[in-house]
Amino acid sequence: MPISPQAYRPEAKLLDLGDGFFDPVAPANFPETRTRFRNDRAAAQIGLDALTDDEWTRHFGRFEPLPGTLPQPFALRYHGHQFRNYNPDLGDGRGFTFAQMRDDRGRLMDLGTKGSGQTPWSRAGDGRLTLKGGVREILATEMLEALNVPTSRTLSLVETGEELQRGDEPSPTRSAVLVRLNHSHVRIGSFQRLAYHRDEAGLRKLVGYTLRNLYDEDNDDPVRLLDLVVARTARLAARYMAAGFVHGVLNSDNINVTGESFDYGPWRFAPTWDPAFTAAYFDHQRLYAFGRQPEAIHWDVMQLAVALRQIAESDPLVAALDQFGPRYQPEVTQAILWRLGVRSRDPDTDRDLVQATERALRTSGVGIDRFFFDAFGGDLPSAYDEPWAEVRAALASYEPRKDRSHPYWSGEPCSMLIDEVEAIWAPIAEHDDWTALNAKVAVIRDMSQALAD
């Protein structure tokens, strides 16, 4: 197996938790394994980019164990609030964690799956993923990474040769198994499950595992953990807003404790700055609408505080939780300045610019991606008249953080609205033509280079 010992650094830290946190499972035996997406850029960061095509499908379609890491796949146990209703019957129902390793920054990383077969937590589900769902996750993760949102990476998508019945797609539809690269699959719901069972020893063990392995802190203080999670999730909420992204299902089992976005279902990018824009057709109360995402994530972190109350005093937990708002505000300011392509000045001036930008976006109906493309570097075109006068005046005092010399700026803004997602999927469904998907990934990566610091 062509793995560089300098780049590939396997780990098996998950085993330190013990079998009360997960269930050993076997992957489904798929009729075929046909690689449809291979993210060598992400694979290089964990020393796996030199795998041959045959090795790739063996490890990421048949789940032959990678050397030196977990001996078999494990379905994680967790609970969670789903649309504010507590559900104790969750857990990995169509996925598992099957490997851990260090990336090129030294972080512990998980390889997890989606669509890898049934587990003890599948309930009535078939444990499978539709090919369209896998394509949508590629597009979401590539776009969010380019827009500076902390996110899982889609490492692999392998088509598996089964026909699936789904109520929200024309059926039968094609099947796939996806592998994601993530800093953590430990969820807020992982702690909720232990609190539900009043497992104080388990809570302490998971707190220690998280602090040591995911935050590089040598302690087991639950208040410190909550403080770190508040900071990371406030950053996530802020960057969702700057990206114009709507996750769609911000349940507490979909929020991990390192503040990375993952597990993409009915996501959408908002075409305009409409706080009521909603991604999931089943979110009838608009609980997870675009403008309510910071509130939703804060509510989920509150559930972590409730769970940790079994092993910590209330007052310091409340004090840590109350820092979400004060941490969100500077994070959203910096996230929008980053998209505007300008350097920060001072907190008051920065805040005034961001508030003016949000007001103008909301009242003008200008497309989010269009505006940030045109305004990058701080020079707003003259076509932006009222209500943009305040924004133009504020931008005049800012220095660009990067010029517009990259070829991306000579074209059109890269967006990912629902009509384009469907247009990318259509030739795959009709003619097995992947040209549009591959071209879109290339454009997104060009945008990423143009935006990057």
Side-chain angles (χ1 to χ4, degrees):
M1 182 175 180
I3 292 177
S4 166
Q6 288 76 35
Y8 178 68
R9 294 184 288 163
E11 295 277 9
K13 297 293 187 182
L14 188 65
L15 300 180
D16 294 347
L17 286 171
D19 58 11
F21 292 81
F22 47 72
D23 296 276
V25 294
N29 185 18
F30 298 116
E32 64 180 63
T33 50
R34 188 175 182 185
T35 299
R36 293 303 198 170
F37 179 75
R38 172 175 171 152
N39 190 343
D40 279 323
R41 188 173 67 167
Q45 296 178 351
I46 53 173
L48 295 177
D49 54 315
L51 292 176
T52 67
D53 291 342
D54 178 63
E55 288 167 332
W56 190 275
T57 56
R58 291 209 316 267
H59 291 300
F60 305 138
R62 300 295 180 189
F63 299 99
E64 178 181 302
L66 287 160
T69 180
L70 302 177
Q72 66 185 108
F74 295 102
L76 303 182
R77 301 176 182 178
Y78 50 85
H79 291 179
H81 278 86
Q82 298 185 306
F83 291 87
R84 304 278 167 95
N85 297 306
Y86 194 76
N87 188 346
D89 297 318
L90 297 176
D92 282 337
R94 58 172 175 168
F96 49 62
T97 301
F98 71 96
Q100 292 183 301
M101 65 278 296
R102 299 283 170 182
D103 69 2
D104 56 4
R105 295 165 52 189
R107 299 182 303 165
L108 181 67
M109 304 298 288
D110 291 347
L111 290 185
T113 65
K114 193 173 184 178
S116 49
Q118 292 180 313
T119 77
W121 309 104
S122 299
R123 293 176 287 170
D126 61 13
R128 269 47 172 186
L129 171 69
T130 67
L131 184 63
K132 183 179 183 180
V135 167
R136 284 174 50 84
E137 186 141 340
I138 292 168
L139 293 171
T141 54
E142 289 284 332
M143 192 73 176
L144 288 175
E145 182 186 2
L147 291 175
N148 206 30
V149 177
T151 180
S152 63
R153 315 271 300 277
T154 302
L155 182 70
S156 172
L157 183 68
V158 173
E159 189 167 1
T160 54
E162 295 178 313
E163 292 187 342
L164 304 179
Q165 297 293 326
R166 292 291 187 269
D168 56 353
E169 289 186 35
S171 296
T173 190
R174 292 151 71 179
S175 62
V177 61
L178 179 141
V179 175
R180 70 165 68 101
L181 177 65
N182 219 30
H183 186 30
S184 171
H185 284 88
V186 176
R187 300 155 163 85
I188 288 174
S190 306
F191 292 86
Q192 289 182 279
R193 172 184 165 273
L194 296 166
Y196 179 88
H197 291 296
R198 299 192 176 278
D199 183 356
E200 292 187 10
L203 278 168
R204 293 184 189 280
K205 181 180 282 190
L206 189 56
V207 167
Y209 172 91
T210 302
L211 284 169
R212 288 180 174 82
N213 293 298
L214 305 178
Y215 282 102
D216 297 322
E217 298 216 354
D218 189 18
N219 69 77
D220 56 2
D221 180 3
V223 176
R224 176 58 176 162
L225 175 61
L226 181 64
D227 183 64
L228 290 165
V229 173
V230 165
R232 291 285 186 90
T233 53
R235 181 185 67 177
L236 174 64
R239 295 192 184 180
Y240 273 171
M241 298 304 292
F245 181 72
V246 187
H247 183 282
V249 191
L250 291 175
N251 297 329
S252 62
D253 58 302
N254 287 339
I255 305 295
N256 71 12
V257 293
T258 51
E260 292 167 292
S261 181
F262 77 114
D263 206 9
Y264 299 101
W267 63 269
R268 290 195 185 188
F269 282 88
T272 61
W273 200 275
D274 176 6
F277 181 84
T278 307
Y281 67 88
F282 45 82
D283 186 1
H284 303 297
Q285 303 302 314
R286 294 186 172 178
L287 185 65
Y288 300 144
F290 175 52
R292 296 187 67 181
Q293 291 182 120
E295 169 202 341
I297 292 174
H298 184 207
W299 192 92
D300 287 328
V301 179
M302 190 186 307
Q303 307 319 304
L304 175 61
V306 171
L308 294 175
R309 177 62 185 86
Q310 291 194 16
I311 58 171
E313 294 299 320
S314 292
D315 288 349
L317 290 172
V318 171
L321 188 65
D322 285 346
Q323 288 301 303
F324 187 94
R327 282 175 163 155
Y328 170 79
Q329 290 302 327
E331 287 285 1
V332 78
T333 296
Q334 292 305 312
I336 290 178
L337 290 179
W338 184 88
R339 266 207 99 175
L340 284 167
V342 296
R343 299 186 184 279
S344 175
R345 289 188 55 199
D346 62 79
D348 290 341
T349 306
D350 292 346
R351 184 174 57 251
D352 290 345
L353 169 60
V354 167
Q355 290 176 350
T357 299
E358 290 180 345
R359 283 195 299 270
L361 280 168
R362 188 168 56 249
T363 58
S364 70
V366 170
I368 294 173
D369 298 312
R370 177 83 260 173
F371 164 71
F372 282 117
F373 181 91
D374 290 344
F376 188 86
D379 187 12
L380 196 61
S382 58
Y384 285 80
D385 46 22
E386 292 297 332
W388 294 97
E390 185 180 6
V391 176
R392 177 178 286 102
L395 278 172
S397 63
Y398 279 81
E399 295 181 1
R401 67 169 175 86
K402 193 172 184 180
D403 64 30
R404 295 176 65 106
S405 60
H406 190 281
Y408 170 73
W409 300 112
S410 64
E412 288 294 309
C414 177
S415 296
M416 188 59 68
L417 303 182
I418 188 62
D419 288 347
E420 183 170 7
V421 175
E422 294 296 326
I424 290 169
W425 168 249
I428 297 173
E430 296 167 10
H431 312 296
D432 202 32
D433 181 354
W434 293 75
T435 306
L437 174 67
N438 294 331
K440 188 64 180 183
V441 169
V443 170
I444 294 170
R445 292 183 178 184
D446 277 347
M447 177 180 71
S448 179
Q449 292 178 354
L451 293 172
D453 293 313

